Amino acid sequence: MTTAGSYDFNGYQVLVVGGTRGEGHSIASAFAASGASVTVTGTMMLRSLYDTDLSAFDYESVNLARQESIDHLVGTVGHLDVLVLAASCSLPYGLPPSEHAFIAEAARSGLLGPTFLTTRLRLKLSQSPALGGGCVVNTGAVTSWLQLASTPEAAQRELAESTARAGRNWAGLGVRVNSVLPDGRSVLPRQYAPGAAPVHGSRVSGDTLVRNQPRIGDAVTDAALFLASSAAARITGQTLRLS
């Protein structure tokens, strides 16, 4: 289980995009248990339509494949300290190939999807008084948007590269950008399987930290909280690969 009690996020405003179920819900719950005020997003109009307990959070509906929906969400956000992106790509069934291709290219170029939302919230994150500044945490769900037009492996590489680039470019604004990626796992569709071997520990591999945990879902939650905490105030542009 994640050690939410190890962190103090009292006074933090946290937005977990895709926080209604799965890893996103676990991350949102851990932030709330650590004292943060948490807003989660989903694609349904009402929170009551979900079978998960969302009573601990504020709720906003958003469709990341529509700019006007993203703009509406941004308009509801006031103060923001932490943005967690945990929403997989979910396109309507039977979408025409031409529109599918348009969304894929727009997501890759940052005109739709998680990257566009992050860019729209950049200035609000830059105003965070938190130690280390505002924080963005990408999870593996973000790669599902890139997988619309590439392989899972290429999508992971692209996310790691864009994370490093944003870490460099946004440092002057006081915004940290990092990612958490379970190794070797496609997230389109998403899978929630425990790790094969319950081996603890961590190691440094190149410019990434690789942590071994008995359950990948718990490890992702732990990593998200760590990256948003004061302990990671000097970490940006990094991708933590979990195995």
Side-chain angles (χ1 to χ4, degrees):
M1 292 294 292
T2 186
T3 53
S6 301
Y7 300 99
D8 180 8
F9 287 106
N10 280 291
Y12 278 63
Q13 296 289 332
V14 178
L15 175 62
V16 181
V17 181
T20 56
R21 53 169 64 100
E23 288 175 351
H25 186 265
S26 296
I27 292 170
S29 298
F31 271 112
S34 300
S37 297
V38 181
T39 298
V40 299
T41 76
T43 56
M44 297 185 183
M45 290 302 297
L46 302 174
R47 75 168 75 203
S48 59
L49 297 175
Y50 289 94
D51 55 8
T52 48
D53 182 8
L54 304 181
S55 60
F57 321 121
D58 290 327
Y59 176 77
E60 294 290 341
S61 175
V62 65
N63 182 345
L64 293 179
R66 300 181 66 87
Q67 281 193 1
E68 62 269 26
S69 182
I70 295 175
D71 289 340
H72 173 76
L73 174 63
V74 171
T76 68
V77 176
H79 174 71
L80 184 62
D81 299 296
V82 179
L83 171 64
V84 179
L85 296 162
S88 293
C89 180
S90 179
L91 301 181
Y93 178 76
L95 193 70
S98 59
E99 190 168 350
H100 185 287
F102 168 78
I103 292 175
E105 182 58 32
R108 286 176 61 85
S109 60
L111 299 177
L112 285 177
T115 301
F116 181 66
L117 173 62
T118 304
T119 302
R120 295 282 283 108
L121 288 171
R122 179 177 55 184
L123 292 180
K124 294 186 179 184
L125 284 163
S126 73
Q127 297 168 358
S128 170
L131 183 63
C135 175
V136 177
V137 179
N138 298 303
T139 71
V142 175
T143 63
S144 68
W145 291 84
L146 302 174
Q147 286 178 42
L148 290 173
S150 66
T151 65
E153 295 76 15
Q156 288 203 3
R157 289 195 300 270
E158 188 169 346
L159 179 60
E161 291 168 1
S162 66
T163 298
R165 189 163 53 248
R168 293 191 301 269
N169 294 342
W170 293 14
L173 291 173
V175 179
R176 297 182 291 119
V177 183
N178 295 290
S179 296
V180 182
L181 285 177
D183 259 353
R185 189 179 65 149
S186 171
V187 293
L188 188 62
R190 298 182 71 183
Q191 301 290 331
Y192 297 101
V199 180
H200 294 277
S202 63
R203 66 187 185 277
V204 174
S205 176
D207 61 354
T208 64
L209 173 67
V210 183
R211 299 184 61 191
N212 299 309
Q213 295 285 348
R215 292 188 59 189
I216 290 296
D218 291 342
V220 171
T221 301
D222 284 336
L225 265 67
F226 165 71
L227 289 171
S229 72
S230 58
R234 294 183 180 275
I235 297 176
T236 189
Q238 302 301 304
T239 296
L240 274 64
R241 297 187 182 272
L242 310 178
S243 61

